[in-house]
């Protein structure tokens, strides 16, 4: 009889006679059934371990500028994903020594460690969580599939999942997930992000003592990185080094050298980013609209998808535009001093410096800092430090958030200008936005005045009135009356009469002169001749806005944005072809696949394997034709005169072929300039957020145009001194600048007051050749005028000289906008 048979016979004989055997068997059987049922219950609803095969680490979105350099990242957590081969051996050995030295030998659960954890859990003297027992595989199961609930049930689920994970992933794949996902404090997940956060190094550059420090962090990630727990951190780090020696990973001598090293932690710092908050926020907003914000909204979400975004941000132009706008705001503010807080915190809501830290209010200008008034003549900052306020104004109240600058042992308040404004620069050939500044500093508020503020553009809209007129048959040399224009608006409103700023006017002048000198009356006459319906259609076609056909809109009374105005002027500079403004060039997913392009043009045949002998394939033209190319060039040519001898004459000494237009709205409440070169078009305005009078001296020419001048001066190497090129069908004809008549003798010069200039005409619209009778009539009129003055005496002659002081051709700074 073999052993199984003897055991069966023994059990049968004793079952009938032994009650103890029967009870023990029932208990054992019940226990087995309960274990099976419990195991089945716990395992039934567990996450699928195979989901880790395709698991993707939530990664931040990385943003690059126009030159490909990283300028920002959108991240709520620090995360960087590495492959297993990227992790240094010393770092892996440090984590194995600290967390799971039998990792490469067990099947997911370390029974010895688990038994130790059970004993610790049962210890009545324990005051915290039971420690030990979790292998690296179990930690992966907890972090990625289960969560951090503290219970025996969760621990059992963790063990079940760990065995399943070992069945679907290799040891290297498990370790790769662990080292990329483990939370290590300072908002860092994974060893690469932690190496940057604690040592400002990549993992490949870590010294032995630094690798050992990172390995201690899983036990208490928010404790060991703090200064007051430095002693505990050093002791724990040295323990890990001892374990590395015990596991034959390092020599005792190397460990001793590492123990002698200080922790060497760097201070926590904000993520490195370009100072282009308004631009980057616009990029973020567009990305969220396209791809979602979190992982729940899509695999390519902004805060988890690991996107790589190439933008059109040009750091050099951005910095110049930002500084130029800030300079103008500070100049306007002048010596007004402190004008009030930028925000107010409620002392009843807790510690004021903590409230300030959570508000994210800050500033990046010179040595200024944003602080909060914590008491009489005391200022506190987000790091908890407090200082006295030098010469504190009596109006200051506890809770006021202010800007301040170091002064001796304290801080002196600095005034952030109450007036604001915006700046935006664009490449006309592509529509790519190169720079964007929506206020003094985006850290003080996210409202972007370049894209969101609706403002009256004033006279900067006039070029498009003129464009509509040119399309209807007028020319730059057409004579237009600079005389009172009245229109009946109905019984309720009565008659409305337009006028130039400060009155004045009279006579008849060329369209060019009217645009150069920004004459309101001439613009309204042109709009009337053209038809307001045609003018409004032109505004809408170039994207400025959709308005009713009222004459005041021809003078800039309708609301629009800086972004729209710049994009419309870009169409002028691009032969009437308009590209939609864009801040994103293209977006790649985490694997490098392009998932979005702003330029959606096709190039048929560009990827053919062999040349077919046909002409080289080319991209189709980008954008949409919104203006006749000849009309666009005629307007640009006239707007160059605005810089040469008109309301933007202060830009002339830049010695560049610039075009542009100033604008000043009624009040004045807004001061504008929009213009540029064939390659860069920029627009800007200055005004209060709640529009109010800026002061009678403020005009587009003396407040906004200097922003453009400073912008160009700071980026002079980026501006090519090449003039605008005329499109086919434009005829350049010599004319008399004042009369608009064609001339055949003489040559135009660079003198801004030259009587002969080149003017752009469409075919068959240029002035006809002057006849002999025209010359005789002109001479006769000249003689008659001399006789009339002689008869009227000396007083008439002096009046004539006074009148000639404002003859067409003199420099007249713009005086108004909407009236």
């Amino acid at each position: 009889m073999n052993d199984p048979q003897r055991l069966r016979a023994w059990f049968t004989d004793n079952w009938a006679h032994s009650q103890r055997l029967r009870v023990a068997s029932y208990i054992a059987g019940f226990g087995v059934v309960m274990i099976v049922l419990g195991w089945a219950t716990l395992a039934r609803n567990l996450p699928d371990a195979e989901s880790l095969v395709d698991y993707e680490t939530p990664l931040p979105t990385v943003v690059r500028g126009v030159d490909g350099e990283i300028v920002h990242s959108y991240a709520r957590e620090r995360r960087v994903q590495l492959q297993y081969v990227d992790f240094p051996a010393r770092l892996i050995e440090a984590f194995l020594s600290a967390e799971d030295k039998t990792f490469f030998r067990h099947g997911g659960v370390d029974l010895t460690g688990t038994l130790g954890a059970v004993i610790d859990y049962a210890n009545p003297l324990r005051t915290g969580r039971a420690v030990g027992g979790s292998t690296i595989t179990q930690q992966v199961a907890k972090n990625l599939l289960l969560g951090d609930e503290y219970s025996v049930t969760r621990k059992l689920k963790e063990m079940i999942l760990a065995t399943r994970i070992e069945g679907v992933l290799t040891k290297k794949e498990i370790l790769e997930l662990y080292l990329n996902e483990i939370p290590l404090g300072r908002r860092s997940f994974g060893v690469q992000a932690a190496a940057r956060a604690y040592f400002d190094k990549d993992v490949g550059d870590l010294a032995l003592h630094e690798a050992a420090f990172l390995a201690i962090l899983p036990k208490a990630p928010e404790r060991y990185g703090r200064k007051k727990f430095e002693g505990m951190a050093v002791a724990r780090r040295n323990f890990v080094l001892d374990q590395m020696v015990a596991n034959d990973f390092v020599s005792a001598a190397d460990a001793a050298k590492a123990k002698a090293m200080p922790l060497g932690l760097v201070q926590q710092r904000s993520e490195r980013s370009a100072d282009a908050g308004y631009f980057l926020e616009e990029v973020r907003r567009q990305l969220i609209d396209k791809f979602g914000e979190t992982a729940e909204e899509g695999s390519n979400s902004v805060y988890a998808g690991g996107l790589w975004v190439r933008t059109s941000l040009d750091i050099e132009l951005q910095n110049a535009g930002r500084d130029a706008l800030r300079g103008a705001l500070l100049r306007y503010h002048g010596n007004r001093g402190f004008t009030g807080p930028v925000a107010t915190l409620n002392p009843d809501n807790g510690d004021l410096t903590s409230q300030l830290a959570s508000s994210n209010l800050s500033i990046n200008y010179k040595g200024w800092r944003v602080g909060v008034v914590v008491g009489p003549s005391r200022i506190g900052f987000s790091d908890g430090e407090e200082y006295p306020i030098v010469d504190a104004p009596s109006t200051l109240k506890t809770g006021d958030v202010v800007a301040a600058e170091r002064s001796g042992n304290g801080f002196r308040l600095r005034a952030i200008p109450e007036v604001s404004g915006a700046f935006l620069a664009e490449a006309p050939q592509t529509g790519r936005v190169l720079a964007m500044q929506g206020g003094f500093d985006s850290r003080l508020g996210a409202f972007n005045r370049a894209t969101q503020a609706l403002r009256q553009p004033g006279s900067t809209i006039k070029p498009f009135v003129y464009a509509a007129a040119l399309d209807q048959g007028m020319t730059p040399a057409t004579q237009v009356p600079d005389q009172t224009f009245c229109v009946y608006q109905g019984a309720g409103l009565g008659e409305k009469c337009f006028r130039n700023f400060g009155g004045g006017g009279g006579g008849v002048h060329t369209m060019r002169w009217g645009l150069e000198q920004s004459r309101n009356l001439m613009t309204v006459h042109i709009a009337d001749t053209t038809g307001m319906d045609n003018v409004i259609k032109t505004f809408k076609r170039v994207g400025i806005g959709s308005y009713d056909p009222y004459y005041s809109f021809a003078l800039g009374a309708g609301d629009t944005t800086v972004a729209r105005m710049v994009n419309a002027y870009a169409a002028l500079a691009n032969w009437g072809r308009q590209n939609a403004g864009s801040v994103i060039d293209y977006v790649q997913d985490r694997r490098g696949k392009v998932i979005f392009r702003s330029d959606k043009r096709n190039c048929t045949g560009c990827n053919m394997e062999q040349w077919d002998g046909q002409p080289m394939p080319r991209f189709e033209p980008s954008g949409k034709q919104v203006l006749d190319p000849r009309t666009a060039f005629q307007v640009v040519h006239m707007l160059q005169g605005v810089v040469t001898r008109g309301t933007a004459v202060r830009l002339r000494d830049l010695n560049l072929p610039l075009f542009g237009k100033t604008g000043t709205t009624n009040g004045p409440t807004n001061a504008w300039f929009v213009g540029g070169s064939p390659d860069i078009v920029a627009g800007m305005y200055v005004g209060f957020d709640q529009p109010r009078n800026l002061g009678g001296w403020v005009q587009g020419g003396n407040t906004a145009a200097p922003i453009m001048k400073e912008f160009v001066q700071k980026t002079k190497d980026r501006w090519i001194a090449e003039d605008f090129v005329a499109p086919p069908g434009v005829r350049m004809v010599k004319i008399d600048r004042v009369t608009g008549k064609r001339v055949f003798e003489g040559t135009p010069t660079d003198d801004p007051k030259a009587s002969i200039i080149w003017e752009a005409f469409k075919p068959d619209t240029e002035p006809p050749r002057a006849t002999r009778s025209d010359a005789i009539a002109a001479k006769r009129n000249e003689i008659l005028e001399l006789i009339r003055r002689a008869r009227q005496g000396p007083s008439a002659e002096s009046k004539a000289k006074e009148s000639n002081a404002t003859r067409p051709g003199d420099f007249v700074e713009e005086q108004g906008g909407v009236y």
Side-chain angles (χ1 to χ4, degrees):
M1 182 181 294
N2 55 33
D3 290 341
Q5 290 175 329
R6 282 197 294 268
L7 180 61
R8 192 182 309 114
W10 176 87
F11 188 81
T12 302
D13 292 339
N14 286 279
W15 180 264
H17 303 98
S18 176
Q19 184 177 3
R20 288 185 178 181
L21 178 61
R22 291 196 298 273
V23 172
S25 298
Y26 287 136
I27 292 174
F30 178 78
V32 170
V33 171
M34 293 303 296
I35 290 173
V36 171
L37 289 175
W39 188 271
T41 301
L42 289 172
R44 182 175 56 188
N45 296 321
L46 286 179
D48 186 0
E50 290 191 2
S51 65
L52 295 181
V53 175
D54 299 319
Y55 176 79
E56 292 186 331
T57 299
L59 294 175
T61 289
V62 177
V63 182
R64 297 181 182 273
V66 71
D67 58 357
E69 293 295 322
I70 294 176
V71 295
H72 190 63
S73 67
Y74 303 116
R76 296 189 175 118
E77 300 166 343
R78 291 186 175 98
R79 290 181 182 269
V80 180
Q81 187 176 24
L82 300 180
Q83 303 297 316
Y84 183 81
V85 295
D86 298 323
F87 299 117
R90 283 286 181 266
L91 184 68
I92 293 174
E93 292 163 355
F95 272 87
L96 293 179
S97 298
E99 295 293 314
D100 190 357
K101 65 181 180 181
T102 63
F103 172 72
F104 282 101
R105 298 195 299 272
H106 62 63
V109 178
D110 182 358
L111 296 179
T112 302
T114 301
L115 180 60
V118 171
I119 295 173
D120 188 39
Y121 184 81
N123 182 3
L125 300 179
R126 177 177 51 83
T127 58
R129 284 190 174 196
V131 296
S134 284
T135 64
I136 283 177
T137 311
Q138 287 176 256
Q139 292 182 57
V140 169
K142 177 186 71 173
N143 291 333
L144 301 185
L145 299 176
L146 292 176
D148 199 29
E149 173 197 358
Y150 181 59
S151 67
V152 175
T153 301
R154 195 269 297 164
K155 198 71 173 179
L156 293 172
K157 291 180 179 179
E158 184 183 291
M159 295 168 66
I160 296 170
L161 270 177
T163 59
R164 294 181 177 180
I165 291 171
E166 294 273 353
V168 297
L169 297 177
T170 66
K171 287 289 187 179
K172 289 183 177 180
E173 289 171 336
I174 295 170
L175 200 54
E176 180 182 307
L177 276 175
Y178 174 77
L179 293 175
N180 277 323
E181 292 292 328
I182 187 71
L184 297 174
R186 293 194 179 184
R187 298 190 301 112
S188 301
F189 288 75
V191 293
Q192 170 61 21
R196 277 288 170 192
Y198 290 99
F199 300 109
D200 198 23
K201 293 182 178 181
D202 293 320
V203 289
D205 300 325
L206 293 175
L208 176 59
H209 71 282
E210 294 167 335
F213 172 82
L214 294 187
I216 75 174
L217 293 174
K219 295 295 183 186
E222 298 301 333
R223 177 186 299 174
Y224 290 138
R226 297 184 180 181
K227 182 70 175 177
K228 64 180 179 179
F229 297 115
E230 183 175 349
M232 296 173 58
V234 170
R236 177 68 183 171
R237 180 201 67 179
N238 293 347
F239 168 77
V240 171
L241 290 168
D242 288 337
Q243 292 299 304
M244 294 181 73
V245 173
N247 294 329
D248 293 328
F249 290 144
V250 298
S251 67
D254 288 341
K257 291 179 181 178
K259 288 180 183 180
M261 299 294 293
L263 289 182
L265 307 185
V266 299
Q267 291 185 347
Q268 293 196 55
R269 61 191 68 184
S270 59
E271 297 296 327
R272 285 170 283 189
S273 174
D275 190 7
Y278 294 104
F279 188 106
L280 295 169
E281 177 58 22
E282 179 65 17
V283 172
R284 189 186 78 95
R285 184 189 64 78
Q286 292 188 20
L287 289 173
I288 289 175
D289 287 344
K290 288 178 177 30
F291 303 110
E293 185 171 0
T294 61
E296 291 73 21
E297 298 176 65
S299 59
N300 292 319
S301 63
V302 173
Y303 287 99
L307 303 178
W308 290 85
V309 182
R310 175 65 71 90
T311 70
S312 54
L313 176 64
D314 188 306
I315 295 299
E316 181 184 4
L317 298 182
Q318 172 65 34
N319 291 343
R322 178 201 64 217
D323 293 345
L325 178 64
R326 283 178 175 174
L329 301 182
L330 290 167
R331 282 193 298 273
Y332 178 86
H333 184 81
N335 296 319
R336 291 179 176 84
F338 182 71
T339 55
V342 297
T344 302
L345 302 177
N346 188 348
D348 296 335
N349 292 337
D351 182 69
L352 287 170
T353 56
S354 297
Q355 289 188 57
L356 180 64
S358 61
S359 73
N360 293 320
L361 291 172
S362 63
I363 193 170
N364 183 27
Y365 180 73
K366 295 185 176 180
W368 294 13
R369 298 178 66 184
V370 167
V372 60
V373 179
V374 295
S377 297
R378 298 286 296 178
I379 188 171
F381 296 102
S382 56
D383 57 8
E385 295 180 347
E386 295 185 10
Y387 297 90
I389 300 175
V390 179
D391 298 330
S394 59
T395 57
L396 217 54
K397 302 186 299 296
T398 299
D400 284 349
V401 178
V402 295
E405 185 178 24
R406 172 73 75 171
S407 178
N409 294 325
F411 277 79
R412 188 183 301 274
L413 298 191
R414 289 290 178 245
I416 295 173
E418 189 179 6
V419 72
S420 196
F423 174 94
L424 187 143
E426 180 178 313
Q429 290 80 16
T430 60
R432 300 166 79 206
V433 175
L434 305 172
M436 180 190 299
Q437 187 72 11
F440 193 85
D441 197 313
S442 62
R443 299 164 186 82
L444 300 174
F447 181 66
N448 189 343
R449 295 160 188 84
T451 60
Q452 295 174 299
L454 292 172
R455 313 291 296 202
Q456 291 182 338
S459 295
T460 57
I461 208 169
K462 289 177 181 177
F464 302 96
V465 178
Y466 283 62
L470 294 170
D471 282 340
Q472 295 302 311
M474 299 179 77
T475 77
T478 298
Q479 296 288 316
V480 179
D482 184 25
Q483 299 165 3
T484 302
F485 182 91
C486 297
V487 59
Y488 183 68
Q489 302 180 103
L493 297 175
E495 188 176 56
K496 164 74 173 179
C497 289
F498 295 87
R499 63 185 180 87
N500 291 318
F501 181 85
V508 178
H509 310 285
T510 63
M511 275 183 62
R512 166 178 284 279
W513 186 83
L515 186 57
E516 289 178 355
Q517 304 303 324
S518 196
R519 305 296 284 183
N520 291 342
L521 289 176
M522 292 180 67
T523 303
V524 177
H525 277 285
I526 290 170
D528 182 60
T529 302
T530 303
M532 274 306 299
D533 285 336
N534 292 322
V535 172
I536 294 304
K537 287 178 183 176
T538 301
F539 291 167
K540 186 174 183 178
R541 198 163 60 247
V542 299
I544 292 175
S546 181
Y547 310 121
D548 294 325
Y550 298 128
Y551 289 104
S552 57
F553 290 125
L555 300 177
D559 287 336
T560 189
T561 66
V562 173
R564 293 183 203 167
M565 290 302 297
V566 171
N567 195 237
Y569 272 71
L572 292 175
N574 194 36
W575 286 4
R577 197 164 190 89
Q578 188 174 46
N579 295 283
S582 65
V583 293
I584 300 172
D585 289 347
Y586 59 85
V587 179
Q588 296 169 281
D589 66 14
R590 65 174 67 209
R591 294 176 181 82
K593 179 183 177 182
V594 176
I595 57 177
F596 169 80
R597 284 192 306 135
S598 61
D599 186 349
K600 297 180 174 59
R601 293 176 296 164
N602 292 318
C603 185
T604 304
C606 285
N607 293 325
M608 66 175 65
E609 292 184 4
Q610 288 185 324
W611 180 47
D612 59 3
Q614 299 300 312
M616 181 183 296
R618 298 183 183 277
F619 282 106
E620 60 190 25
S622 64
K624 179 182 179 182
Q625 196 72 45
V626 295
L627 292 172
D628 183 322
R630 300 167 301 175
T631 296
F633 180 79
Q634 285 179 297
V635 173
V636 167
H637 196 241
M638 288 190 286
L639 290 176
Q640 288 185 279
V642 174
V643 175
T644 302
R645 54 186 160 264
T647 60
V649 69
R650 68 179 62 239
L651 302 179
R652 192 179 68 202
D653 61 6
L654 291 171
N655 296 317
L656 289 170
L658 300 178
F659 81 112
K661 183 72 185 74
T662 57
T664 312
T665 57
N666 198 12
T669 56
N670 302 286
W672 284 75
F673 177 82
V674 187
S677 72
D679 299 310
I680 303 173
V681 174
M684 56 227 70
Y685 86 88
V686 172
F688 292 100
D689 286 343
Q690 297 300 320
R692 68 176 192 260
N693 196 311
L694 290 165
W697 60 273
V698 171
Q699 299 164 19
N702 62 26
T703 301
I707 301 175
M708 184 67 180
K709 186 170 187 177
E710 183 178 343
F711 172 63
V712 175
Q713 287 173 330
K714 289 185 175 181
T715 58
K716 200 64 180 290
D717 60 315
R718 304 292 298 277
W719 298 79
I720 302 173
E722 294 181 2
D723 208 346
F724 292 86
V725 177
V730 170
R731 298 183 179 179
M732 302 303 294
V733 176
K734 290 187 293 186
I735 68 168
D736 182 278
R737 179 172 58 85
V738 175
T739 66
K741 290 186 178 295
R742 190 169 185 173
V743 296
F744 293 89
E745 295 182 358
T747 302
T749 67
D750 293 334
D751 181 3
K753 290 187 178 182
S755 59
I756 302 174
I757 64 170
W758 289 108
E759 191 59 273
F761 294 93
K762 296 173 185 175
D764 301 324
T765 65
E766 58 266 40
R769 183 185 182 99
T771 63
R772 177 68 174 167
S773 58
D774 291 331
I776 294 172
K779 192 65 175 177
R780 182 179 64 248
N781 291 336
E782 182 180 346
I783 293 171
L784 291 174
E785 178 65 17
L786 290 173
I787 294 172
R788 182 183 63 81
R789 291 182 185 178
R791 289 176 177 175
Q792 291 178 346
S795 60
E797 184 177 353
S798 63
K799 288 181 180 180
K801 290 181 179 179
E802 182 179 346
S803 175
N804 287 336
T806 57
R807 69 188 186 279
D810 280 358
F811 300 102
V812 180
E813 186 69 14
E814 181 182 17
Q815 294 290 330
V818 181
Y819 293 98

